[in-house]
Each structure stands twice: as C-alpha cells, then as structure tokens.
Coordinates of all heavy atoms in Angstrom, one line a residue:
M108 N 26.7 -12.1 -34.3 CA 25.3 -11.8 -34.0 C 24.5 -12.7 -34.9 O 24.7 -13.0 -36.0 CB 25.0 -10.4 -34.3 CG 25.7 -9.4 -33.4 SD 25.0 -7.8 -33.5 CE 26.1 -7.1 -32.3
G109 N 23.5 -13.3 -34.3 CA 22.6 -14.2 -34.9 C 21.7 -13.6 -36.0 O 21.5 -12.4 -36.0
L110 N 21.1 -14.5 -36.7 CA 20.1 -14.0 -37.7 C 18.7 -14.1 -37.1 O 18.2 -15.2 -36.9 CB 20.1 -15.0 -39.0 CG 21.4 -15.0 -39.7 CD1 21.3 -15.9 -40.9 CD2 21.7 -13.6 -40.3
T111 N 18.1 -13.0 -36.7 CA 16.8 -13.0 -36.1 C 16.1 -11.7 -36.5 O 16.7 -10.7 -36.8 CB 17.0 -13.1 -34.5 OG1 15.7 -13.1 -34.0 CG2 17.7 -11.9 -34.0
Q112 N 14.8 -11.8 -36.4 CA 14.0 -10.6 -36.7 C 13.9 -9.8 -35.4 O 13.3 -10.3 -34.4 CB 12.6 -11.0 -37.2 CG 11.9 -10.0 -38.0 CD 12.3 -9.9 -39.4 OE1 13.4 -10.0 -39.8 NE2 11.3 -9.6 -40.2
T113 N 14.4 -8.7 -35.2 CA 14.4 -7.9 -34.0 C 13.1 -6.9 -34.0 O 12.4 -6.8 -35.0 CB 15.6 -7.0 -33.9 OG1 15.6 -6.0 -34.9 CG2 16.9 -7.8 -34.0
K114 N 12.9 -6.3 -32.8 CA 11.9 -5.3 -32.8 C 12.1 -4.2 -33.8 O 11.1 -3.7 -34.4 CB 11.8 -4.7 -31.4 CG 11.3 -5.6 -30.3 CD 11.3 -4.9 -29.0 CE 10.8 -5.8 -27.9 NZ 10.7 -5.2 -26.6
L115 N 13.3 -3.8 -34.0 CA 13.6 -2.8 -35.0 C 13.2 -3.3 -36.4 O 12.6 -2.5 -37.2 CB 15.1 -2.4 -35.0 CG 15.5 -1.2 -35.9 CD1 14.7 0.0 -35.6 CD2 17.0 -1.0 -35.7
H116 N 13.5 -4.5 -36.8 CA 13.1 -5.0 -38.1 C 11.5 -4.9 -38.2 O 11.0 -4.5 -39.2 CB 13.5 -6.5 -38.2 CG 15.0 -6.7 -38.4 ND1 15.8 -6.9 -37.4 CD2 15.7 -6.8 -39.6 CE1 17.0 -7.1 -37.9 NE2 17.0 -7.0 -39.2
H117 N 10.8 -5.4 -37.1 CA 9.4 -5.3 -37.1 C 8.8 -3.9 -37.3 O 7.9 -3.7 -38.0 CB 8.8 -6.0 -35.9 CG 8.9 -7.5 -35.9 ND1 8.2 -8.3 -36.7 CD2 9.7 -8.3 -35.2 CE1 8.5 -9.6 -36.5 NE2 9.4 -9.6 -35.6
K118 N 9.4 -3.0 -36.6 CA 8.9 -1.6 -36.6 C 9.1 -1.0 -38.1 O 8.2 -0.4 -38.6 CB 9.7 -0.7 -35.7 CG 9.3 -1.0 -34.2 CD 10.2 -0.2 -33.3 CE 10.0 -0.6 -31.8 NZ 8.6 -0.4 -31.4
I119 N 10.2 -1.4 -38.7 CA 10.4 -1.0 -40.1 C 9.4 -1.7 -41.0 O 8.9 -1.0 -41.9 CB 11.9 -1.2 -40.5 CG1 12.8 -0.3 -39.7 CG2 12.1 -1.0 -42.0 CD1 14.3 -0.6 -39.8
L120 N 9.2 -2.9 -40.9 CA 8.3 -3.7 -41.8 C 6.9 -3.1 -41.6 O 6.1 -3.1 -42.6 CB 8.3 -5.1 -41.4 CG 9.6 -5.9 -41.9 CD1 9.6 -7.2 -41.3 CD2 9.7 -5.9 -43.4
K121 N 6.5 -2.7 -40.4 CA 5.2 -2.1 -40.2 C 5.1 -0.6 -40.6 O 4.0 0.0 -40.5 CB 4.8 -2.2 -38.7 CG 4.5 -3.7 -38.3 CD 4.4 -3.9 -36.8 CE 3.5 -2.8 -36.1 NZ 3.3 -3.0 -34.7
Q122 N 6.2 -0.1 -41.0 CA 6.3 1.3 -41.4 C 5.9 2.3 -40.3 O 5.3 3.3 -40.5 CB 5.5 1.6 -42.7 CG 6.0 0.8 -43.8 CD 5.3 1.1 -45.1 OE1 4.4 2.0 -45.2 NE2 5.7 0.4 -46.2
S123 N 6.3 1.9 -39.0 CA 6.1 2.7 -37.9 C 7.3 3.6 -37.7 O 8.2 3.3 -36.9 CB 6.0 1.8 -36.6 OG 4.8 0.9 -36.8
W124 N 7.3 4.7 -38.5 CA 8.6 5.4 -38.6 C 9.0 6.2 -37.3 O 10.1 6.2 -36.9 CB 8.4 6.4 -39.7 CG 8.1 5.7 -41.0 CD1 7.0 6.1 -41.9 CD2 8.7 4.6 -41.6 NE1 7.0 5.2 -42.9 CE2 8.0 4.3 -42.8 CE3 9.9 3.8 -41.3 CZ2 8.4 3.3 -43.7 CZ3 10.2 2.8 -42.1 CH2 9.5 2.5 -43.3
S125 N 8.0 6.8 -36.6 CA 8.4 7.5 -35.4 C 8.8 6.6 -34.3 O 9.7 6.8 -33.5 CB 7.2 8.4 -34.9 OG 6.1 7.6 -34.6
S126 N 8.2 5.3 -34.3 CA 8.6 4.3 -33.3 C 10.0 3.8 -33.7 O 10.8 3.5 -32.8 CB 7.6 3.2 -33.3 OG 7.9 2.2 -32.4
T127 N 10.3 3.7 -35.0 CA 11.6 3.2 -35.4 C 12.7 4.2 -34.9 O 13.7 3.7 -34.4 CB 11.7 3.2 -37.0 OG1 10.7 2.1 -37.4 CG2 13.0 2.8 -37.4
I128 N 12.5 5.5 -35.1 CA 13.5 6.5 -34.7 C 13.6 6.5 -33.2 O 14.7 6.5 -32.7 CB 13.1 7.9 -35.2 CG1 13.3 7.9 -36.7 CG2 14.0 9.0 -34.6 CD1 12.8 9.2 -37.4
A129 N 12.5 6.4 -32.4 CA 12.6 6.3 -31.0 C 13.4 5.1 -30.5 O 14.2 5.2 -29.6 CB 11.2 6.3 -30.4
H130 N 13.1 4.0 -31.1 CA 13.8 2.7 -30.8 C 15.3 2.8 -31.0 O 16.1 2.3 -30.3 CB 13.2 1.5 -31.5 CG 13.6 0.2 -31.0 ND1 13.4 -0.2 -29.7 CD2 14.4 -0.8 -31.6 CE1 14.0 -1.4 -29.5 NE2 14.5 -1.8 -30.6
L131 N 15.7 3.5 -32.1 CA 17.1 3.7 -32.4 C 17.9 4.5 -31.3 O 19.1 4.4 -31.3 CB 17.3 4.4 -33.8 CG 17.2 3.5 -35.0 CD1 17.1 4.3 -36.2 CD2 18.3 2.5 -35.0
H132 N 17.2 5.2 -30.5 CA 17.8 6.0 -29.5 C 17.8 5.2 -28.1 O 18.1 5.9 -27.1 CB 17.1 7.4 -29.3 CG 17.3 8.2 -30.5 ND1 16.2 8.8 -31.2 CD2 18.4 8.6 -31.1 CE1 16.7 9.5 -32.2 NE2 18.0 9.4 -32.2
T133 N 17.7 3.9 -28.2 CA 17.8 3.1 -27.0 C 19.0 2.2 -27.2 O 19.4 1.9 -28.4 CB 16.5 2.2 -26.8 OG1 16.4 1.3 -27.8 CG2 15.3 3.1 -26.7
P134 N 19.5 1.7 -26.1 CA 20.7 0.7 -26.3 C 20.2 -0.5 -27.1 O 21.0 -1.0 -27.9 CB 21.0 0.3 -24.8 CG 20.6 1.5 -24.1 CD 19.3 2.0 -24.7
S135 N 19.0 -1.0 -26.9 CA 18.5 -2.2 -27.6 C 18.4 -1.9 -29.1 O 18.8 -2.7 -29.9 CB 17.2 -2.6 -27.1 OG 16.6 -3.6 -27.9
G136 N 18.0 -0.7 -29.4 CA 17.8 -0.3 -30.9 C 19.2 -0.2 -31.5 O 19.3 -0.6 -32.7
L137 N 20.1 0.4 -30.8 CA 21.5 0.5 -31.4 C 22.1 -0.9 -31.7 O 22.8 -1.1 -32.7 CB 22.4 1.3 -30.5 CG 22.1 2.8 -30.4 CD1 22.9 3.5 -29.4 CD2 22.3 3.4 -31.8
R138 N 21.8 -1.9 -30.8 CA 22.3 -3.2 -31.0 C 21.6 -3.8 -32.2 O 22.1 -4.5 -33.0 CB 22.1 -4.1 -29.8 CG 23.1 -3.9 -28.7 CD 23.1 -4.9 -27.6 NE 21.7 -5.1 -27.0 CZ 21.3 -4.3 -26.0 NH1 22.0 -3.4 -25.4 NH2 20.1 -4.5 -25.5
S139 N 20.3 -3.6 -32.3 CA 19.4 -4.2 -33.3 C 19.8 -3.7 -34.7 O 19.6 -4.5 -35.7 CB 18.0 -3.8 -33.1 OG 17.5 -4.4 -31.9
C140 N 20.3 -2.5 -34.8 CA 20.6 -2.0 -36.2 C 21.8 -2.8 -36.8 O 22.1 -2.7 -38.0 CB 20.9 -0.5 -36.2 SG 22.4 0.0 -35.4
R141 N 22.5 -3.6 -36.0 CA 23.6 -4.4 -36.5 C 23.2 -5.8 -36.7 O 24.1 -6.6 -37.1 CB 24.8 -4.3 -35.5 CG 25.3 -2.9 -35.3 CD 26.3 -2.8 -34.1 NE 26.7 -1.5 -33.9 CZ 27.8 -1.0 -34.5 NH1 28.5 -1.7 -35.4 NH2 28.1 0.3 -34.3
Q142 N 22.0 -6.2 -36.5 CA 21.6 -7.6 -36.6 C 20.9 -7.9 -38.0 O 20.0 -7.1 -38.4 CB 20.6 -8.0 -35.5 CG 21.4 -8.1 -34.2 CD 20.5 -8.8 -33.1 OE1 19.8 -8.1 -32.4 NE2 20.6 -10.1 -33.0
R143 N 21.2 -8.9 -38.5 CA 20.5 -9.4 -39.8 C 19.3 -10.3 -39.4 O 19.3 -11.0 -38.4 CB 21.5 -10.2 -40.6 CG 22.7 -9.5 -41.1 CD 23.6 -10.4 -41.8 NE 24.8 -9.8 -42.3 CZ 25.0 -9.4 -43.6 NH1 24.1 -9.6 -44.5 NH2 26.2 -8.9 -43.9
N144 N 18.4 -10.2 -40.3 CA 17.2 -11.1 -40.2 C 17.5 -12.4 -40.9 O 18.6 -12.5 -41.5 CB 15.9 -10.4 -40.7 CG 15.9 -10.2 -42.2 OD1 16.8 -10.7 -42.9 ND2 14.9 -9.5 -42.6
P145 N 16.6 -13.4 -40.9 CA 16.9 -14.6 -41.6 C 17.2 -14.6 -43.1 O 17.9 -15.4 -43.7 CB 15.7 -15.5 -41.3 CG 15.1 -15.0 -40.0 CD 15.4 -13.5 -40.1
M146 N 16.8 -13.5 -43.7 CA 17.1 -13.2 -45.1 C 18.4 -12.5 -45.3 O 18.8 -12.2 -46.5 CB 16.0 -12.5 -45.8 CG 14.6 -13.2 -45.8 SD 14.6 -14.8 -46.5 CE 14.9 -14.3 -48.2
G147 N 19.1 -12.2 -44.2 CA 20.4 -11.5 -44.3 C 20.3 -9.9 -44.4 O 21.2 -9.3 -44.7
D148 N 19.1 -9.4 -44.1 CA 18.8 -8.0 -44.2 C 19.1 -7.3 -42.8 O 18.6 -7.8 -41.8 CB 17.4 -7.7 -44.6 CG 17.1 -8.1 -46.0 OD1 17.8 -7.7 -46.9 OD2 16.1 -8.8 -46.2
L149 N 19.9 -6.2 -42.9 CA 20.0 -5.3 -41.8 C 18.7 -4.5 -41.8 O 18.0 -4.3 -42.8 CB 21.2 -4.5 -41.9 CG 22.6 -5.2 -41.8 CD1 23.7 -4.3 -42.2 CD2 22.8 -5.7 -40.3
P150 N 18.4 -3.8 -40.7 CA 17.2 -2.8 -40.7 C 17.4 -1.8 -41.8 O 16.3 -1.5 -42.4 CB 17.3 -2.2 -39.3 CG 17.9 -3.3 -38.4 CD 18.9 -3.9 -39.3
L151 N 18.6 -1.4 -42.1 CA 18.7 -0.4 -43.2 C 18.3 -1.0 -44.5 O 17.6 -0.3 -45.4 CB 20.1 0.1 -43.3 CG 20.4 1.2 -44.3 CD1 19.5 2.4 -44.2 CD2 21.9 1.6 -44.3
H152 N 18.6 -2.2 -44.8 CA 18.1 -2.9 -46.0 C 16.6 -2.8 -46.1 O 16.0 -2.5 -47.1 CB 18.5 -4.3 -46.1 CG 20.0 -4.6 -46.3 ND1 20.8 -5.0 -45.3 CD2 20.7 -4.5 -47.5 CE1 22.0 -5.1 -45.8 NE2 22.0 -4.9 -47.1
L153 N 15.9 -3.2 -45.0 CA 14.5 -3.2 -45.0 C 13.9 -1.9 -45.2 O 12.9 -1.7 -46.0 CB 13.9 -3.8 -43.6 CG 14.3 -5.2 -43.3 CD1 13.7 -5.6 -42.0 CD2 13.8 -6.2 -44.4
A154 N 14.5 -0.8 -44.7 CA 13.9 0.5 -44.9 C 14.1 0.9 -46.4 O 13.2 1.6 -46.9 CB 14.7 1.6 -44.0
C155 N 15.2 0.5 -47.0 CA 15.4 0.8 -48.4 C 14.6 0.0 -49.3 O 14.4 0.4 -50.5 CB 16.9 0.7 -48.7 SG 17.9 1.9 -47.9
Y156 N 14.1 -1.1 -48.9 CA 13.2 -2.0 -49.8 C 11.9 -1.3 -50.0 O 11.3 -1.4 -51.1 CB 12.8 -3.3 -49.1 CG 13.7 -4.4 -49.3 CD1 14.4 -5.1 -48.2 CD2 14.0 -5.0 -50.6 CE1 15.2 -6.1 -48.5 CE2 14.8 -6.0 -50.8 CZ 15.4 -6.6 -49.7 OH 16.2 -7.7 -49.9
S157 N 11.3 -0.6 -49.0 CA 10.0 -0.1 -49.1 C 9.8 1.0 -50.1 O 8.7 1.1 -50.7 CB 9.5 0.5 -47.7 OG 10.2 1.6 -47.4
G158 N 10.8 1.8 -50.4 CA 10.6 3.0 -51.2 C 9.8 4.1 -50.6 O 9.4 5.1 -51.3
V159 N 9.4 3.9 -49.3 CA 8.5 5.0 -48.7 C 9.1 5.4 -47.4 O 8.5 6.3 -46.7 CB 7.1 4.5 -48.5 CG1 6.4 4.2 -49.8 CG2 7.0 3.3 -47.6
A160 N 10.2 4.8 -46.9 CA 10.8 5.3 -45.7 C 11.2 6.7 -45.7 O 11.9 7.1 -46.7 CB 11.9 4.4 -45.3
P161 N 10.8 7.5 -44.8 CA 11.2 9.0 -44.8 C 12.8 9.1 -44.7 O 13.4 8.3 -44.1 CB 10.6 9.6 -43.6 CG 9.5 8.6 -43.2 CD 10.0 7.3 -43.6
P162 N 13.3 10.1 -45.4 CA 14.8 10.4 -45.3 C 15.3 10.4 -43.8 O 16.4 10.0 -43.6 CB 14.9 11.7 -46.0 CG 13.8 11.8 -46.9 CD 12.6 11.1 -46.2
S163 N 14.4 10.9 -42.9 CA 14.9 11.0 -41.5 C 15.1 9.6 -40.9 O 16.0 9.4 -40.1 CB 13.8 11.7 -40.7 OG 12.6 11.1 -40.7
V164 N 14.4 8.6 -41.3 CA 14.6 7.3 -40.9 C 15.8 6.7 -41.4 O 16.7 6.1 -40.7 CB 13.3 6.4 -41.2 CG1 13.6 4.9 -40.9 CG2 12.1 6.8 -40.5
I165 N 16.0 6.8 -42.7 CA 17.2 6.4 -43.4 C 18.4 7.0 -42.7 O 19.4 6.3 -42.4 CB 17.2 6.7 -44.9 CG1 16.0 6.1 -45.6 CG2 18.5 6.2 -45.6 CD1 16.0 4.5 -45.6
R166 N 18.4 8.3 -42.5 CA 19.5 9.0 -41.9 C 19.8 8.5 -40.5 O 21.0 8.3 -40.1 CB 19.2 10.5 -41.8 CG 20.3 11.4 -41.2 CD 20.0 12.9 -41.2 NE 18.7 13.2 -40.7 CZ 17.7 13.7 -41.5 NH1 17.9 13.8 -42.8 NH2 16.5 14.0 -40.9
E167 N 18.8 8.3 -39.7 CA 19.0 7.7 -38.3 C 19.6 6.3 -38.4 O 20.5 6.0 -37.5 CB 17.7 7.8 -37.5 CG 17.2 9.1 -37.2 CD 18.0 9.9 -36.2 OE1 18.7 9.2 -35.3 OE2 18.1 11.1 -36.2
L168 N 19.2 5.5 -39.3 CA 19.7 4.2 -39.4 C 21.2 4.2 -39.8 O 22.0 3.5 -39.3 CB 18.9 3.3 -40.4 CG 17.6 2.9 -39.9 CD1 16.7 2.4 -41.1 CD2 17.7 1.8 -38.9
V169 N 21.5 5.1 -40.7 CA 22.9 5.2 -41.2 C 23.8 5.8 -40.0 O 24.9 5.3 -39.8 CB 23.0 6.1 -42.4 CG1 24.5 6.5 -42.7 CG2 22.4 5.4 -43.6
L170 N 23.3 6.8 -39.3 CA 24.0 7.3 -38.2 C 24.3 6.3 -37.1 O 25.3 6.2 -36.5 CB 23.3 8.6 -37.6 CG 23.3 9.8 -38.4 CD1 22.4 10.9 -37.8 CD2 24.7 10.4 -38.6
A171 N 23.3 5.4 -36.9 CA 23.4 4.4 -35.8 C 24.4 3.3 -36.2 O 25.1 2.8 -35.4 CB 22.0 3.8 -35.6
F172 N 24.6 3.0 -37.5 CA 25.4 2.0 -38.0 C 25.9 2.3 -39.4 O 25.4 1.8 -40.4 CB 24.7 0.6 -38.0 CG 25.6 -0.6 -38.3 CD1 26.9 -0.6 -37.9 CD2 25.1 -1.7 -39.0 CE1 27.7 -1.7 -38.3 CE2 25.8 -2.8 -39.4 CZ 27.2 -2.8 -39.0
P173 N 26.9 3.2 -39.5 CA 27.4 3.7 -40.8 C 27.9 2.6 -41.7 O 27.7 2.7 -43.0 CB 28.5 4.7 -40.5 CG 28.3 5.1 -39.1 CD 27.5 3.9 -38.4
E174 N 28.4 1.6 -41.1 CA 29.0 0.5 -42.0 C 27.9 -0.2 -42.7 O 28.2 -0.9 -43.8 CB 29.8 -0.5 -41.1 CG 31.1 0.1 -40.5 CD 30.8 0.8 -39.1 OE1 29.6 1.0 -38.7 OE2 31.7 1.2 -38.4
A175 N 26.7 -0.2 -42.3 CA 25.6 -0.9 -43.0 C 25.4 -0.5 -44.4 O 25.0 -1.3 -45.2 CB 24.3 -0.6 -42.2
V176 N 25.8 0.8 -44.8 CA 25.7 1.2 -46.2 C 26.4 0.3 -47.2 O 25.9 0.2 -48.3 CB 26.2 2.7 -46.2 CG1 26.3 3.2 -47.7 CG2 25.4 3.6 -45.4
G177 N 27.5 -0.3 -46.8 CA 28.2 -1.1 -47.7 C 28.0 -2.6 -47.5 O 28.7 -3.4 -48.2
V178 N 27.1 -3.0 -46.6 CA 26.9 -4.4 -46.4 C 25.9 -5.0 -47.4 O 24.8 -4.5 -47.5 CB 26.3 -4.6 -44.9 CG1 26.0 -6.1 -44.6 CG2 27.4 -4.1 -43.9
E179 N 26.3 -6.1 -48.0 CA 25.4 -6.9 -48.8 C 24.4 -7.8 -48.0 O 24.9 -8.4 -47.0 CB 26.1 -7.7 -49.8 CG 26.9 -6.9 -50.9 CD 27.6 -7.8 -51.9 OE1 27.6 -9.0 -51.8 OE2 28.2 -7.2 -52.8
N180 N 23.2 -7.8 -48.5 CA 22.2 -8.7 -47.9 C 22.3 -10.2 -48.4 O 23.3 -10.4 -49.3 CB 20.8 -8.2 -47.9 CG 20.3 -8.2 -49.4 OD1 20.9 -8.6 -50.3 ND2 19.1 -7.6 -49.5
G181 N 21.4 -11.0 -48.1 CA 21.5 -12.4 -48.6 C 21.4 -12.5 -50.1 O 21.8 -13.5 -50.7
E182 N 20.8 -11.5 -50.7 CA 20.7 -11.5 -52.2 C 21.8 -10.7 -52.9 O 21.8 -10.6 -54.1 CB 19.3 -10.9 -52.6 CG 18.1 -11.6 -52.1 CD 18.0 -13.0 -52.8 OE1 18.2 -13.0 -54.0 OE2 17.7 -13.9 -52.2
G183 N 22.8 -10.2 -52.1 CA 23.9 -9.6 -52.7 C 23.7 -8.0 -52.9 O 24.5 -7.4 -53.6
Y184 N 22.6 -7.4 -52.4 CA 22.4 -6.0 -52.5 C 22.8 -5.2 -51.3 O 22.6 -5.7 -50.2 CB 20.9 -5.8 -52.8 CG 20.4 -6.3 -54.1 CD1 19.7 -7.4 -54.2 CD2 20.7 -5.6 -55.2 CE1 19.2 -7.9 -55.4 CE2 20.2 -6.0 -56.5 CZ 19.5 -7.2 -56.6 OH 19.0 -7.7 -57.7
T185 N 23.4 -4.1 -51.5 CA 23.7 -3.1 -50.5 C 22.4 -2.2 -50.3 O 21.6 -2.2 -51.2 CB 24.9 -2.2 -50.8 OG1 24.5 -1.4 -51.9 CG2 26.1 -3.0 -51.0
P186 N 22.3 -1.6 -49.1 CA 21.2 -0.7 -49.0 C 21.1 0.4 -50.1 O 20.0 0.8 -50.5 CB 21.4 -0.1 -47.6 CG 22.0 -1.2 -46.9 CD 23.0 -1.7 -47.9
C187 N 22.2 0.9 -50.5 CA 22.3 1.9 -51.5 C 21.7 1.4 -52.8 O 20.9 2.1 -53.5 CB 23.7 2.4 -51.7 SG 24.3 3.4 -50.3
Q188 N 22.0 0.2 -53.2 CA 21.4 -0.4 -54.4 C 20.0 -0.6 -54.3 O 19.2 -0.3 -55.2 CB 22.2 -1.8 -54.6 CG 23.6 -1.6 -55.0 CD 24.3 -3.0 -55.1 OE1 24.1 -3.8 -54.2 NE2 25.1 -3.2 -56.1
L189 N 19.5 -1.0 -53.1 CA 18.1 -1.2 -52.9 C 17.4 0.1 -53.0 O 16.2 0.2 -53.6 CB 17.8 -1.8 -51.6 CG 18.3 -3.3 -51.5 CD1 18.1 -3.8 -50.0 CD2 17.5 -4.2 -52.4
A190 N 17.9 1.2 -52.4 CA 17.3 2.5 -52.4 C 17.2 3.0 -53.9 O 16.2 3.6 -54.3 CB 18.1 3.5 -51.6
R191 N 18.3 2.8 -54.6 CA 18.3 3.3 -56.0 C 17.2 2.6 -56.8 O 16.5 3.2 -57.6 CB 19.6 3.0 -56.7 CG 19.8 3.6 -58.0 CD 21.2 3.6 -58.6 NE 22.0 2.4 -58.3 CZ 23.0 2.3 -57.5 NH1 23.4 3.3 -56.8 NH2 23.6 1.1 -57.3
I192 N 17.0 1.3 -56.6 CA 15.9 0.5 -57.3 C 14.5 0.9 -56.8 O 13.7 1.2 -57.6 CB 16.1 -1.0 -57.0 CG1 17.5 -1.5 -57.7 CG2 14.9 -1.8 -57.5 CD1 17.9 -2.9 -57.2
N193 N 14.3 1.0 -55.5 CA 13.0 1.2 -54.9 C 12.6 2.6 -54.8 O 11.3 2.8 -54.5 CB 12.9 0.4 -53.6 CG 13.1 -1.1 -53.8 OD1 12.4 -1.7 -54.6 ND2 14.1 -1.7 -53.1
Y194 N 13.4 3.5 -54.9 CA 13.0 4.9 -54.8 C 13.0 5.5 -56.2 O 13.0 6.7 -56.4 CB 13.9 5.7 -53.9 CG 13.6 5.5 -52.4 CD1 14.2 4.5 -51.8 CD2 12.8 6.4 -51.8 CE1 13.9 4.2 -50.4 CE2 12.5 6.2 -50.4 CZ 13.0 5.1 -49.7 OH 12.7 4.9 -48.4
G195 N 13.0 4.7 -57.2 CA 12.9 5.2 -58.6 C 14.0 5.8 -59.2 O 13.9 6.5 -60.2
G196 N 15.2 5.5 -58.6 CA 16.4 6.1 -59.2 C 17.2 5.3 -60.2 O 18.3 5.7 -60.6
G197 N 16.7 4.2 -60.6 CA 17.4 3.5 -61.6 C 17.1 1.9 -61.5 O 16.3 1.6 -60.6
D198 N 17.7 1.2 -62.3 CA 17.4 -0.3 -62.3 C 18.5 -1.0 -61.6 O 19.4 -0.3 -61.0 CB 17.3 -0.8 -63.7 CG 18.5 -0.6 -64.6 OD1 19.6 -0.4 -64.0 OD2 18.3 -0.6 -65.8
E199 N 18.5 -2.3 -61.6 CA 19.4 -3.1 -60.8 C 20.9 -3.0 -61.4 O 21.8 -3.3 -60.7 CB 19.0 -4.6 -60.8 CG 17.8 -4.8 -60.1 CD 17.4 -6.3 -60.1 OE1 18.3 -7.1 -60.1 OE2 16.2 -6.6 -60.0
G200 N 21.0 -2.7 -62.6 CA 22.3 -2.7 -63.3 C 23.2 -1.5 -62.9 O 24.4 -1.6 -63.1
G201 N 22.7 -0.5 -62.2 CA 23.5 0.7 -61.9 C 24.3 0.5 -60.8 O 25.3 0.7 -60.3

C-alpha cells in the first residue's frame, strides 16, 4: 500500500471524531486504516498524536486494524508510545 493521506487521515487531523468512526464502518475506511501517510503514520498514530482523541475513536481504530498497535511510524514510534507521551502518561523514555 502506498504512502498517501487518506480521507481517514484527514478526518482524524480535523478531529472529526464522529465522522472518523462512521468512516471506519465502510469498506473504504477499513482499507484506509492500513495505509500510511507520507510521514509513515497510520491513522492510529495520528489519533494518538493529538492527546485529545476520545477513547471510542482509539478503540474503533484498534478494532479495525489490531496490528497497528505495534507498527512503528517514520520516526520509530508505535501508537502506544505516542499515546503515552501525548496523553500525559510519561516521557519518551518509557
């Protein structure tokens, strides 16, 4: 799969949470959750960067593509590491 910014990436970046969840329930959304953007981020990475994505969004992204939890982005971070940093649970060293 190519490196492209999908509709799902855009919805997450705009923090359109209900639209993000609705899109995940479409065939296109399910495909999009497996695509990296040009920075190497999956949609789950983007949601974890913000520090404001609701748990329901994180949960839906994980359910749609469970393997994403362990995937490193272009900077070498997994979504779990980003969530720990951006949701106030610790620093980069943990």
Side-chain angles (χ1 to χ4, degrees):
M108 296 195 180
L110 298 178
T111 184
Q112 200 86 322
T113 66
K114 287 182 182 180
L115 185 58
H116 287 92
H117 285 289
K118 290 175 187 302
I119 292 168
L120 289 171
K121 289 173 42 180
Q122 298 183 3
S123 300
W124 307 127
S125 60
S126 181
T127 297
I128 290 174
H130 191 63
L131 278 169
H132 292 127
T133 68
S135 171
L137 288 174
R138 283 191 305 274
S139 296
C140 70
R141 298 172 182 272
Q142 286 191 274
R143 294 175 182 261
N144 69 9
M146 299 301 294
D148 292 310
L149 294 167
L151 182 58
H152 288 104
L153 295 182
C155 293
Y156 271 122
S157 71
V159 297
S163 59
V164 170
I165 303 293
R166 181 177 47 251
E167 291 291 331
L168 286 164
V169 171
L170 288 172
F172 183 38
E174 295 87 351
V176 173
V178 174
E179 292 183 356
N180 66 6
E182 295 293 319
Y184 291 103
T185 66
C187 289
Q188 291 169 317
L189 293 171
R191 188 170 40 251
I192 294 165
N193 296 308
Y194 282 85
D198 60 22
E199 294 182 33

